[in-house]
Amino acid sequence: MEMNENKKRRAMIIYVIIGILILLVLNTVVAPRVTQPKVESVAYTDMTKMVDAGEVDTFNYNISTGEITFSANIGGTERYFSTSYWPNDTELLSRLESSGAKASTQVVNQSNATLLIYLLTFFLPIILLIWFGWWMNRRLKKQFGDDNPSMSFGGFGQGLGRSGAKIVADKETGVTFSDVAGQDEAKQALTEIVDFLDRPERYEEIGAKLPRGALLVGPPGTGKTLLAKAVAGEAHVPFFSISGSEFVEMFVGRGAAKVRDLFKQAKEKAPSVASTAEIDTIGKRRDTAGFTSNDEREQTLNQLLTEMDGFDNHKGIVVLGATNRPETLDPALLRPGRFDRRIPVERPDLAGRTAILKLHAKNVKMSGPIDFGVIARSTSGASGADLANIVNEAALRAVREGRKGIIQDDLQESVEVVIAGQQRKSMVLSEEEKKIVSYHEIGHALVAAKQKGTAPVTKITIVPRTSGALGYTMQVEEDEKFLTTRDEALEQLATLCGGRSAEEVVFGTMTTGAANDIEKATKLARNMITRFGMSEEFGMVALGTVNNPYLNSDTSLTCSDGTAEKVDQAVVALVESAHQKALTILRENKFKLHELAAYLMKKESISGDEFMRILNDTGAAGTMGDTGDASAHAGGNAQG
Ligand code: ADP
Ligand code: MG
Ligand code: ZN
């Protein structure tokens, strides 16, 4: 349960609207009835009729306006009327007198009602508003079991988030370690913190100082936030969290106020967990160069440092920060007594992925047996969030297809959706383009299959995807791989070149479809030379560094300009040799290339098994498919 600013604002608006409504109701319904009994306007002649009938009791004549107000008893009820005096009727007064009516200064008597009216229209709304505010407050407290001041509102002017910070407060996160699959090392590292939060007095007795903060470091979507919540949930302590991106404020000083707020709340409810996600947005290394300094961020960071030093750790407060850019953090944050523990939260391995898939699959219905291992193997590099998404996509597909539960196929397809985007049924390729894409994909698959160390091909398709891929070839390693040898890297390079090479061998031309392959091949070749020490020319010299291992593996060169030029030449040479290798393989297997491409064009999607069956079928090596001329067409192309 979280009480966010929106909810608070909505409740406040309702509160004001109800207040206004109460006032309106009192003014229009209650007040007029007491203050001004209904006065009916009548014609002058009607009045004279009532006078003659002896019904008029009291009357009043206002000389300045010429208005006569009078009360009359009609059929037993007293009613009030007003009319305009007709100036020529000089006998009116005597007629009134003779009818028994009394002249009065005030026909409509208000005097005895004033106090009551005053009470009703002025004090009652205030009393109601106070009561309503109190009632709302109490209801909220019941709901959250907490009297956290930033969550309460109503009363007059109290609360509404003193600093405007979106501090999420959870009395019980309800998340435990069993909700986090894989990540056993991270969980192990966090159990001590859980124990500390659970029984701080035990640590105090011995005089042990526990870390005030731990930093969860890892790529996005690997479960850092989930783990922080699980720590609070396991220890049954409240969880206060704020995201670093919310600290980026327009006004200087607001971020610092938010930090103060977060810690104040965590202290009030200690033992507790205070969590700051994306801590790198405030904890960036402070610049020493004066020009680029950022006052606001520095103030926020300083406040965070002060708070982390300041709190009394006997109470049991643990600050859990999360980041995917640890290298940008200010060293002051990492000093002992602050975030002195660093807990890596890595992308899950094969077993971890299987466990995460199974965990999320518990929430959806399944029809028949599902092999999660197969799915886990084809999702190497996926984060926990990706896998949760895959399971959900599969469930959505099952609904779309009118099934009662998900089947293996749904999961398989949703892996491809996550990798390559939805199928684009509306996109119709011309026959010519379909032919080019078919040859291109078979080119990849064939080059892969004709080398020893490559991962087996599991699927080839020419159904376009929303990501822009016109087709792709999926390869899945049989086992999880952590190391790649130089030979394997070279084979991967050749496989990447296979698509374009097939276009050249068959059509004697090139298309834009190989752009993505070229990008990947270049990156791989460059890494082989600058980071993996796999070139004879440069040997084991690091010529580049990875900027951020968690976000992308983009590198920057760390060598002189002269060397950079030589590196570029080496990259070109490496890719070109892979290109030549691919061309050779395809020329040697030209018959199979034609046969397989024709088959793919007809079926649009083929499995790895089908591919291998045709490839190994030596008997009928047909010469189908013509080497017709071709023209170049635009379109992206992914090689899985
Ligand atoms: P991070 O904070 O590291 O970016 P989150 O903790 O917000 O990632 O994870 C996002 C979602 O991904 C979670 O809510 C959960 O559904 C899923 N998820 C991520 N990692 C795991 C995991 N190890 N086990 C189960 N679910 C996970
Ligand atoms: Mg997060
Ligand atoms: Zn390709």
Short mmCIF file of all heavy atoms in Angstrom, two decimals, residues 529-570:
data_model
loop_
_atom_site.label_atom_id
_atom_site.label_comp_id
_atom_site.label_asym_id
_atom_site.label_seq_id
_atom_site.Cartn_x
_atom_site.Cartn_y
_atom_site.Cartn_z
N ILE A 529 40.07 -6.93 -30.50
CA ILE A 529 41.38 -6.30 -30.62
C ILE A 529 41.72 -5.43 -29.41
O ILE A 529 42.80 -5.53 -28.84
CB ILE A 529 41.44 -5.45 -31.92
CG1 ILE A 529 41.37 -6.38 -33.14
CG2 ILE A 529 42.70 -4.60 -31.95
CD1 ILE A 529 40.99 -5.66 -34.41
N THR A 530 40.76 -4.59 -28.99
CA THR A 530 41.10 -3.60 -27.96
C THR A 530 40.92 -4.10 -26.53
O THR A 530 41.51 -3.54 -25.61
CB THR A 530 40.25 -2.32 -28.13
OG1 THR A 530 38.87 -2.66 -27.98
CG2 THR A 530 40.48 -1.68 -29.47
N ARG A 531 40.08 -5.10 -26.32
CA ARG A 531 39.83 -5.51 -24.94
C ARG A 531 40.22 -6.95 -24.64
O ARG A 531 40.63 -7.27 -23.52
CB ARG A 531 38.34 -5.32 -24.60
CG ARG A 531 37.94 -3.86 -24.51
CD ARG A 531 36.45 -3.72 -24.28
NE ARG A 531 36.02 -4.47 -23.12
CZ ARG A 531 34.86 -5.13 -23.05
NH1 ARG A 531 34.05 -5.16 -24.07
NH2 ARG A 531 34.54 -5.77 -21.96
N PHE A 532 40.04 -7.84 -25.65
CA PHE A 532 40.29 -9.25 -25.36
C PHE A 532 41.71 -9.68 -25.70
O PHE A 532 42.07 -10.84 -25.49
CB PHE A 532 39.27 -10.14 -26.10
CG PHE A 532 37.84 -9.75 -25.86
CD1 PHE A 532 36.88 -9.91 -26.85
CD2 PHE A 532 37.43 -9.21 -24.63
CE1 PHE A 532 35.56 -9.55 -26.63
CE2 PHE A 532 36.11 -8.86 -24.41
CZ PHE A 532 35.17 -9.02 -25.41
N GLY A 533 42.49 -8.77 -26.22
CA GLY A 533 43.86 -9.12 -26.57
C GLY A 533 43.96 -10.26 -27.56
O GLY A 533 44.80 -11.15 -27.42
N MET A 534 43.09 -10.30 -28.58
CA MET A 534 43.05 -11.43 -29.50
C MET A 534 43.70 -11.14 -30.85
O MET A 534 43.49 -11.87 -31.81
CB MET A 534 41.60 -11.88 -29.71
CG MET A 534 41.00 -12.59 -28.49
SD MET A 534 39.30 -13.02 -28.79
CE MET A 534 38.90 -13.89 -27.28
N SER A 535 44.45 -10.05 -30.93
CA SER A 535 45.11 -9.77 -32.20
C SER A 535 46.62 -9.96 -32.03
O SER A 535 47.17 -9.73 -30.96
CB SER A 535 44.81 -8.34 -32.65
OG SER A 535 45.48 -7.43 -31.81
N GLU A 536 47.25 -10.39 -33.14
CA GLU A 536 48.70 -10.59 -33.07
C GLU A 536 49.41 -9.26 -32.98
O GLU A 536 50.43 -9.10 -32.34
CB GLU A 536 49.18 -11.35 -34.31
CG GLU A 536 49.08 -12.85 -34.15
CD GLU A 536 48.41 -13.52 -35.35
OE1 GLU A 536 48.67 -13.10 -36.49
OE2 GLU A 536 47.59 -14.44 -35.13
N GLU A 537 48.84 -8.27 -33.65
CA GLU A 537 49.47 -6.96 -33.75
C GLU A 537 49.64 -6.28 -32.39
O GLU A 537 50.70 -5.77 -32.06
CB GLU A 537 48.58 -6.10 -34.64
CG GLU A 537 49.34 -5.15 -35.52
CD GLU A 537 48.37 -4.51 -36.49
OE1 GLU A 537 47.33 -5.13 -36.79
OE2 GLU A 537 48.66 -3.39 -36.92
N PHE A 538 48.59 -6.29 -31.59
CA PHE A 538 48.65 -5.52 -30.34
C PHE A 538 48.83 -6.41 -29.11
O PHE A 538 49.22 -5.93 -28.06
CB PHE A 538 47.39 -4.67 -30.18
CG PHE A 538 47.21 -3.70 -31.30
CD1 PHE A 538 46.29 -3.95 -32.31
CD2 PHE A 538 47.97 -2.54 -31.36
CE1 PHE A 538 46.13 -3.07 -33.35
CE2 PHE A 538 47.81 -1.66 -32.41
CZ PHE A 538 46.89 -1.92 -33.41
N GLY A 539 48.49 -7.67 -29.24
CA GLY A 539 48.66 -8.57 -28.10
C GLY A 539 47.82 -8.17 -26.92
O GLY A 539 46.73 -7.60 -27.07
N MET A 540 48.38 -8.44 -25.75
CA MET A 540 47.59 -8.23 -24.53
C MET A 540 47.67 -6.81 -24.00
O MET A 540 48.02 -6.58 -22.86
CB MET A 540 48.08 -9.19 -23.45
CG MET A 540 47.48 -10.57 -23.59
SD MET A 540 48.04 -11.64 -22.29
CE MET A 540 47.54 -10.80 -20.83
N VAL A 541 47.35 -5.87 -24.84
CA VAL A 541 47.35 -4.49 -24.38
C VAL A 541 45.93 -3.95 -24.43
O VAL A 541 45.25 -4.08 -25.44
CB VAL A 541 48.29 -3.61 -25.25
CG1 VAL A 541 48.19 -2.16 -24.84
CG2 VAL A 541 49.71 -4.12 -25.14
N ALA A 542 45.50 -3.39 -23.31
CA ALA A 542 44.15 -2.83 -23.28
C ALA A 542 44.16 -1.50 -24.01
O ALA A 542 44.88 -0.58 -23.65
CB ALA A 542 43.69 -2.63 -21.84
N LEU A 543 43.40 -1.44 -25.06
CA LEU A 543 43.36 -0.20 -25.84
C LEU A 543 42.04 0.53 -25.65
O LEU A 543 41.83 1.62 -26.14
CB LEU A 543 43.56 -0.52 -27.32
CG LEU A 543 44.88 -1.23 -27.65
CD1 LEU A 543 44.87 -1.75 -29.07
CD2 LEU A 543 46.04 -0.28 -27.43
N GLY A 544 41.14 -0.10 -24.93
CA GLY A 544 39.84 0.54 -24.69
C GLY A 544 39.30 0.12 -23.35
O GLY A 544 39.74 -0.87 -22.76
N THR A 545 38.38 0.91 -22.82
CA THR A 545 37.72 0.53 -21.56
C THR A 545 36.22 0.55 -21.76
O THR A 545 35.70 1.27 -22.62
CB THR A 545 38.05 1.51 -20.42
OG1 THR A 545 37.79 2.83 -20.88
CG2 THR A 545 39.48 1.39 -19.97
N VAL A 546 35.58 -0.24 -20.96
CA VAL A 546 34.12 -0.26 -21.01
C VAL A 546 33.60 0.89 -20.17
O VAL A 546 34.02 1.08 -19.04
CB VAL A 546 33.59 -1.60 -20.46
CG1 VAL A 546 32.07 -1.62 -20.49
CG2 VAL A 546 34.15 -2.75 -21.27
N ASN A 547 32.71 1.68 -20.75
CA ASN A 547 32.20 2.83 -20.01
C ASN A 547 31.29 2.40 -18.87
O ASN A 547 31.42 2.85 -17.75
CB ASN A 547 31.44 3.77 -20.95
CG ASN A 547 32.36 4.30 -22.02
OD1 ASN A 547 33.57 4.39 -21.82
ND2 ASN A 547 31.80 4.62 -23.17
N ASN A 548 30.33 1.58 -19.18
CA ASN A 548 29.44 1.10 -18.12
C ASN A 548 29.07 -0.34 -18.37
O ASN A 548 28.34 -0.64 -19.31
CB ASN A 548 28.18 1.96 -18.06
CG ASN A 548 27.33 1.59 -16.87
OD1 ASN A 548 27.22 0.40 -16.53
ND2 ASN A 548 26.74 2.56 -16.23
N PRO A 549 29.55 -1.24 -17.53
CA PRO A 549 29.31 -2.66 -17.78
C PRO A 549 27.83 -3.03 -17.62
O PRO A 549 27.40 -4.06 -18.12
CB PRO A 549 30.16 -3.35 -16.71
CG PRO A 549 30.33 -2.33 -15.64
CD PRO A 549 30.31 -1.01 -16.31
N TYR A 550 27.06 -2.22 -16.91
CA TYR A 550 25.68 -2.60 -16.61
C TYR A 550 24.67 -2.07 -17.61
O TYR A 550 23.60 -2.63 -17.75
CB TYR A 550 25.30 -2.14 -15.21
CG TYR A 550 26.09 -2.83 -14.15
CD1 TYR A 550 26.84 -2.13 -13.24
CD2 TYR A 550 26.07 -4.22 -14.07
CE1 TYR A 550 27.57 -2.77 -12.26
CE2 TYR A 550 26.80 -4.88 -13.10
CZ TYR A 550 27.54 -4.15 -12.20
OH TYR A 550 28.25 -4.80 -11.25
N LEU A 551 24.98 -0.96 -18.22
CA LEU A 551 23.98 -0.38 -19.13
C LEU A 551 24.19 -0.85 -20.56
O LEU A 551 23.32 -1.35 -21.21
CB LEU A 551 24.01 1.14 -19.03
CG LEU A 551 23.48 1.65 -17.70
CD1 LEU A 551 23.50 3.16 -17.67
CD2 LEU A 551 22.08 1.13 -17.43
N ASN A 552 25.40 -0.67 -21.09
CA ASN A 552 25.73 -1.23 -22.39
C ASN A 552 27.22 -1.43 -22.36
O ASN A 552 27.90 -0.93 -21.49
CB ASN A 552 25.32 -0.29 -23.52
CG ASN A 552 25.84 1.11 -23.28
OD1 ASN A 552 26.98 1.28 -22.87
ND2 ASN A 552 25.02 2.09 -23.52
N SER A 553 27.74 -2.17 -23.30
CA SER A 553 29.18 -2.40 -23.24
C SER A 553 29.92 -1.49 -24.21
O SER A 553 30.88 -1.89 -24.85
CB SER A 553 29.49 -3.87 -23.49
OG SER A 553 28.77 -4.31 -24.61
N ASP A 554 29.45 -0.27 -24.31
CA ASP A 554 30.14 0.69 -25.17
C ASP A 554 31.54 0.96 -24.61
O ASP A 554 31.73 1.07 -23.41
CB ASP A 554 29.36 2.01 -25.21
CG ASP A 554 28.20 1.92 -26.18
OD1 ASP A 554 28.14 0.91 -26.90
OD2 ASP A 554 27.38 2.84 -26.20
N THR A 555 32.46 1.06 -25.55
CA THR A 555 33.84 1.28 -25.10
C THR A 555 34.36 2.61 -25.61
O THR A 555 33.84 3.17 -26.57
CB THR A 555 34.76 0.17 -25.63
OG1 THR A 555 34.59 0.09 -27.03
CG2 THR A 555 34.45 -1.15 -24.99
N SER A 556 35.38 3.09 -24.95
CA SER A 556 36.08 4.23 -25.51
C SER A 556 37.56 3.86 -25.57
O SER A 556 38.07 3.14 -24.71
CB SER A 556 35.86 5.48 -24.66
OG SER A 556 35.95 5.16 -23.30
N LEU A 557 38.23 4.34 -26.60
CA LEU A 557 39.64 4.01 -26.80
C LEU A 557 40.51 4.73 -25.78
O LEU A 557 40.24 5.87 -25.42
CB LEU A 557 40.07 4.38 -28.22
CG LEU A 557 39.55 3.47 -29.33
CD1 LEU A 557 40.05 3.97 -30.67
CD2 LEU A 557 39.99 2.03 -29.11
N THR A 558 41.54 4.04 -25.34
CA THR A 558 42.46 4.67 -24.40
C THR A 558 43.86 4.66 -24.97
O THR A 558 44.82 4.41 -24.26
CB THR A 558 42.47 3.92 -23.06
OG1 THR A 558 42.77 2.56 -23.33
CG2 THR A 558 41.15 4.01 -22.34
N CYS A 559 43.95 4.87 -26.26
CA CYS A 559 45.27 4.82 -26.88
C CYS A 559 45.52 6.10 -27.68
O CYS A 559 44.62 6.91 -27.86
CB CYS A 559 45.39 3.60 -27.79
SG CYS A 559 44.08 3.53 -29.00
N SER A 560 46.72 6.23 -28.16
CA SER A 560 47.06 7.44 -28.91
C SER A 560 46.37 7.43 -30.27
O SER A 560 45.91 6.40 -30.75
CB SER A 560 48.57 7.52 -29.11
OG SER A 560 48.95 6.51 -30.02
N ASP A 561 46.32 8.59 -30.90
CA ASP A 561 45.64 8.71 -32.20
C ASP A 561 46.27 7.78 -33.23
O ASP A 561 45.57 7.18 -34.03
CB ASP A 561 45.73 10.15 -32.69
CG ASP A 561 44.80 11.05 -31.90
OD1 ASP A 561 44.03 10.50 -31.09
OD2 ASP A 561 44.85 12.27 -32.09
N GLY A 562 47.59 7.68 -33.18
CA GLY A 562 48.28 6.83 -34.15
C GLY A 562 47.87 5.38 -34.00
O GLY A 562 47.58 4.70 -34.99
N THR A 563 47.79 4.94 -32.76
CA THR A 563 47.38 3.56 -32.51
C THR A 563 45.93 3.36 -32.93
O THR A 563 45.58 2.32 -33.50
CB THR A 563 47.54 3.22 -31.02
OG1 THR A 563 48.79 3.72 -30.58
CG2 THR A 563 47.46 1.74 -30.79
N ALA A 564 45.10 4.36 -32.64
CA ALA A 564 43.68 4.26 -32.99
C ALA A 564 43.52 4.00 -34.48
O ALA A 564 42.68 3.22 -34.90
CB ALA A 564 42.95 5.54 -32.59
N GLU A 565 44.35 4.64 -35.27
CA GLU A 565 44.28 4.45 -36.72
C GLU A 565 44.61 3.01 -37.08
O GLU A 565 43.93 2.39 -37.91
CB GLU A 565 45.29 5.39 -37.37
CG GLU A 565 44.77 6.04 -38.63
CD GLU A 565 45.80 6.99 -39.20
OE1 GLU A 565 46.18 7.94 -38.48
OE2 GLU A 565 46.24 6.76 -40.34
N LYS A 566 45.66 2.49 -36.41
CA LYS A 566 46.05 1.10 -36.68
C LYS A 566 44.96 0.13 -36.23
O LYS A 566 44.72 -0.89 -36.86
CB LYS A 566 47.36 0.78 -35.96
CG LYS A 566 48.58 1.32 -36.67
CD LYS A 566 49.85 0.78 -36.02
CE LYS A 566 51.01 1.75 -36.20
NZ LYS A 566 51.97 1.68 -35.09
N VAL A 567 44.32 0.46 -35.10
CA VAL A 567 43.22 -0.38 -34.60
C VAL A 567 42.12 -0.44 -35.64
O VAL A 567 41.61 -1.52 -35.98
CB VAL A 567 42.67 0.15 -33.25
CG1 VAL A 567 41.36 -0.56 -32.90
CG2 VAL A 567 43.68 -0.03 -32.15
N ASP A 568 41.77 0.72 -36.20
CA ASP A 568 40.72 0.75 -37.22
C ASP A 568 41.07 -0.16 -38.39
O ASP A 568 40.23 -0.91 -38.88
CB ASP A 568 40.52 2.19 -37.73
CG ASP A 568 39.83 3.06 -36.69
OD1 ASP A 568 39.20 2.49 -35.77
OD2 ASP A 568 39.92 4.29 -36.78
N GLN A 569 42.34 -0.10 -38.81
CA GLN A 569 42.76 -0.95 -39.93
C GLN A 569 42.65 -2.42 -39.56
O GLN A 569 42.19 -3.24 -40.36
CB GLN A 569 44.22 -0.64 -40.31
CG GLN A 569 44.34 0.68 -41.05
CD GLN A 569 45.78 1.18 -41.06
OE1 GLN A 569 46.71 0.47 -40.64
NE2 GLN A 569 45.97 2.40 -41.53
N ALA A 570 43.03 -2.75 -38.33
CA ALA A 570 42.96 -4.14 -37.89
C ALA A 570 41.52 -4.62 -37.84
O ALA A 570 41.22 -5.77 -38.18
CB ALA A 570 43.62 -4.28 -36.52
#
